Amino acid sequence: MTSKSSTELYAAIRRDHRARLGKRALMRKHGVGHPTVQKALESAWPQPRKKLPPRATRLDPFKSLVDEMLRPDLDAPRKQRHTAKRVFDRLVDGHHADGLSYGIVRAYVAVRRGEIRAVAGRGAHGSGFPWQFPRTR
């Protein structure tokens, strides 16, 4: 048996209810609970899912430190800027961030570096005109 989307399930419950099936019979037939049957009979459209609040990560206490490392890189020469590996090493060595993984730091640095450039008015890296090639026939 293939699983139905909630919209299809609501439509099937409403259709069977119009065919004079009781709520308990609807629950048994469709394998759902009383609240689901009740919601399906009240509205044809299921309510959208609630967004979960973002979970705290092990990097949260160190985000301000990473930002302080990346801000001076705006004016530094290209070869002297912090890499994600260097940021990770400084956090582990100097700030005792033993619970961090390199992947978490790398992902944060990749996103945050662009945001810091945008806030400073430097624009996104590689922002320019899109390439256009001449058409040949």
Side-chain angles (χ1 to χ4, degrees):
M1 179 177 158
T2 61
S3 64
K4 296 180 181 178
S5 71
S6 52
T7 307
E8 293 169 345
L9 176 65
Y10 275 30
I13 291 173
R14 293 166 66 85
R15 183 174 48 250
D16 290 341
H17 183 70
R18 283 192 301 269
R20 304 280 186 218
L21 270 169
K23 289 183 182 177
R24 288 188 184 196
L26 291 171
M27 289 167 39
R28 263 185 265 122
K29 180 177 179 181
H30 297 286
V32 295
H34 184 268
T36 304
V37 171
Q38 193 65 33
K39 288 177 187 175
L41 296 178
E42 290 173 0
S43 173
W45 299 102
Q47 293 181 350
R49 291 182 181 248
K50 295 178 183 174
K51 295 272 185 182
L52 293 175
R55 289 188 348 197
T57 65
R58 293 180 181 175
L59 183 63
D60 286 345
F62 304 104
K63 285 184 177 180
S64 61
L65 295 171
V66 173
D67 291 349
E68 289 174 16
M69 290 180 212
L70 295 178
R71 280 193 190 99
D73 286 349
L74 291 172
D75 299 323
R78 189 175 142 266
K79 290 288 198 169
Q80 294 177 6
R81 295 179 191 156
H82 283 87
T83 62
K85 174 73 171 133
R86 180 70 182 129
V87 170
F88 174 72
D89 290 341
R90 283 185 64 185
L91 288 175
V92 171
D93 294 338
H95 301 284
H96 307 292
D98 296 326
L100 289 180
S101 70
Y102 171 67
I104 292 173
V105 175
R106 182 185 65 211
Y108 180 74
V109 167
V111 171
R112 193 65 183 134
R113 186 176 281 142
E115 292 172 352
I116 290 173
R117 287 182 59 82
V119 168
R122 304 283 176 99
H125 177 67
S127 62
F129 294 104
W131 285 58
Q132 293 181 357
F133 297 100
R135 291 188 175 185
T136 58
R137 280 199 168 205

